[in-house]
Amino acid sequence: EEVKLNFKDIVVHVALIIDKRIIDEIEEDEYVKHIETYIRQTDHLYIYNMVNQDLTSFFDKLSKYNHISYTNCNDLGEVCNYQRILEQFLLTECDFGVVLNQGYYYEEEAFLSLRRYAIEHDTSNIAVLTPMPLRGCEQFFMQVEDERKCKGCNLVGTLINMKIFKELSPFKLEYYQTTFDYEYCLRARQNGYQIILLQNQVLRNQNYRIIEKKFFFINLSTYDYDLMEVYYQTRNRFYLWDEYKNIDPEFVKLDKKLYKGERHMLKVRDKNYRDKFYMMEEARFDYLKGLKGKYKGGNKNEKNKEAIDLFEILFNKKGLFRKNKNMIDFHNLQRHINEFGYTTLDLS
């Protein structure tokens, strides 16, 4: 006699963040196609317009779906945006929440497979269920194992268990942008929860640009990175390492190794690597000062004075530095960077 399994039903809500202006109708149509890779498998879609742009024509193309809500709101930074959206999900009492940005879409039936996995398995101990994230140009290789545990992931496009989020909330709001998702995954694992990667379900990201650098007769290519993304990722990494160096030393050691490799890759393949290195040094400088939240920048004279004051404190304690306003120009720190991408000014 055939046994019928009674799988539990779940409620999945999705939020799409529009934080870049939609240029033309071609781009509109592309985003509609992205939405259609998951809209039929979600219980409700919330679209957050954060660019103060009239998106009437875009919304009209989605009018055949009656489970979409739209709202205009301010961009509070990535971390606060995610926190605000997931808090709204808590009010709806959905089981899983998904946050997406423009330019992301699921391959084939990947979103349906994510939902099916959440239905067919006990997810009470799974904090995050993530697809395999790939850029649009990256080749996908089918894996023998459909699923595996992982240490952390970027939360975009993942199924976030709302019961566990309610327990662990909030995110690290002081990070303002990036890295908060990895910290959340680390915190979840420290509390006994799992991060599960479905390796054969692909989430594609179209938000990238490839740049090339000529080395003799060889063309080297890499992905370009926004300077502010470099700043936030570097600064927040330092805070993350500090917090988890004794809690999860294995992760911190691995991430430091990845960070060094990323810097070396920039040095070798990115012709504008000095701009990135400068932002990394500014991030390190702000970390040493204990600065968090939104990047504040500052004019050159202010930065120079702050740098001199901080370096005087750090170096005078070791008897290694005499105050000299001509010795250090904060906006030319890239001149002190060695071949590995590290500053030759010892700030440790």
Side-chain angles (χ1 to χ4, degrees):
E1 184 179 350
E2 183 181 354
V3 178
K4 292 184 178 180
L5 300 178
N6 295 317
F7 297 130
K8 66 183 184 302
D9 194 15
I10 60 171
V11 177
V12 180
H13 287 179
V14 178
L16 173 62
I17 297 174
I18 305 292
D19 56 0
K20 298 176 184 176
R21 296 186 70 84
I22 299 177
I23 300 174
D24 51 30
E25 188 174 355
I26 296 175
E27 201 169 80
E28 274 187 1
D29 293 338
E30 182 180 12
Y31 291 145
V32 169
K33 289 179 181 178
H34 292 174
I35 291 172
E36 288 177 342
T37 65
Y38 57 85
I39 184 65
R40 293 177 180 85
Q41 287 79 46
T42 183
D43 295 281
H44 202 91
L45 171 63
Y46 302 84
I47 298 181
Y48 291 79
N49 178 4
M50 299 184 182
V51 291
N52 194 30
Q53 179 183 5
D54 184 2
L55 298 177
T56 303
S57 60
F58 174 60
F59 296 152
D60 285 345
K61 294 177 181 180
L62 297 169
S63 60
K64 63 180 178 180
Y65 303 107
N66 58 11
H67 58 301
I68 302 180
S69 300
Y70 310 93
T71 184
N72 297 323
C73 58
N74 295 326
D75 186 348
L76 303 178
E78 185 181 26
V79 187
C80 287
N81 290 340
Y82 270 63
Q83 182 70 30
R84 172 174 56 182
I85 288 170
L86 291 178
E87 286 178 354
Q88 289 295 316
F89 285 166
L90 286 175
L91 296 177
T92 67
E93 299 184 347
C94 62
D95 299 295
F96 290 90
V98 180
V99 184
L100 286 161
N101 294 86
Q102 290 163 271
Y104 285 86
Y105 66 92
Y106 297 91
E107 271 195 358
E108 298 175 355
E109 296 186 346
F111 190 81
L112 177 61
S113 296
L114 286 169
R115 181 172 183 132
R116 183 183 294 122
Y117 183 95
I119 291 174
E120 297 177 355
H121 294 76
D122 178 11
T123 56
S124 60
N125 200 43
I126 299 176
V128 180
L129 184 63
T130 176
M132 175 64 76
L134 294 174
R135 292 183 178 90
C137 62
E138 290 182 291
Q139 189 173 357
F140 168 67
F141 298 96
M142 185 70 70
Q143 302 296 311
V144 176
E145 295 183 351
D146 289 332
E147 64 181 86
R148 67 174 175 87
K149 297 178 184 178
C150 62
K151 292 183 177 297
C153 64
N154 190 308
L155 290 181
V156 62
T158 67
L159 267 66
I160 301 171
N161 189 318
M162 296 309 300
K163 287 183 179 178
I164 297 176
F165 172 78
K166 185 177 182 180
E167 175 189 338
L168 300 179
S169 181
F171 293 126
K172 286 280 186 179
L173 301 180
E174 62 269 27
Y175 283 5
Y176 187 77
Q177 192 163 313
T178 79
T179 319
F180 72 98
D181 33 21
Y182 285 92
E183 190 283 327
Y184 178 78
C185 291
L186 287 172
R187 189 155 28 112
R189 290 197 300 107
Q190 289 301 314
N191 282 273
Y193 298 115
Q194 298 177 350
I195 314 299
I196 299 296
L197 167 65
L198 298 189
Q199 300 187 101
N200 293 318
Q201 310 306 325
V202 177
L203 174 72
R204 292 286 182 181
N205 176 13
Q206 296 286 71
N207 303 319
Y208 66 91
R209 188 169 72 94
I210 296 176
I211 54 177
E212 292 186 347
K213 176 182 178 181
K214 198 170 187 65
F215 183 73
F216 292 103
F217 301 104
I218 303 173
N219 285 327
L220 302 174
S221 63
T222 186
Y223 298 107
D224 195 15
Y225 293 94
D226 178 77
L227 291 178
M228 290 314 305
E229 181 182 354
V230 171
Y231 168 84
Y232 285 117
Q233 189 175 76
T234 303
R235 186 198 67 184
N236 295 340
R237 256 176 159 164
F238 288 138
Y239 286 118
L240 186 71
W241 295 341
D242 266 356
E243 183 174 355
Y244 285 91
K245 61 186 176 184
N246 296 323
I247 301 173
D248 196 338
E250 183 183 355
F251 174 85
V252 173
K253 182 179 180 180
L254 175 62
D255 198 45
K256 285 184 176 181
K257 184 178 180 180
L258 291 173
Y259 175 66
K260 185 175 181 179
E262 289 165 7
R263 292 188 67 132
H264 181 68
M265 187 65 71
L266 285 175
K267 172 75 175 180
V268 173
R269 293 176 175 270
D270 191 338
K271 61 183 178 182
N272 299 316
Y273 73 93
R274 289 189 179 274
D275 295 333
K276 275 81 171 183
F277 283 175
Y278 166 70
M279 293 307 294
M280 288 178 173
E281 289 306 311
E282 186 154 8
R284 190 178 184 204
F285 177 78
D286 286 351
Y287 155 74
L288 288 168
K289 290 184 61 181
L291 296 179
K292 298 179 181 179
K294 188 175 182 180
Y295 172 71
K296 297 176 177 60
N299 64 51
K300 182 175 180 179
N301 292 331
E302 290 175 349
K303 281 290 184 182
N304 282 337
K305 183 177 183 305
E306 290 173 354
I308 290 169
D309 291 342
L310 179 60
F311 292 152
E312 180 185 18
I313 293 171
L314 291 172
F315 282 71
N316 272 352
K317 286 183 178 179
K318 296 183 178 182
L320 298 174
F321 178 74
R322 181 189 303 174
K323 184 171 181 179
N324 182 343
K325 291 188 178 181
N326 295 321
M327 288 185 71
I328 296 174
D329 181 344
F330 183 80
H331 280 261
N332 285 314
L333 276 176
Q334 61 264 46
R335 291 187 295 119
H336 301 276
I337 292 173
N338 63 24
E339 70 263 28
F340 299 107
Y342 289 94
T343 178
T344 55
L345 295 170
D346 181 12
L347 302 184
S348 60

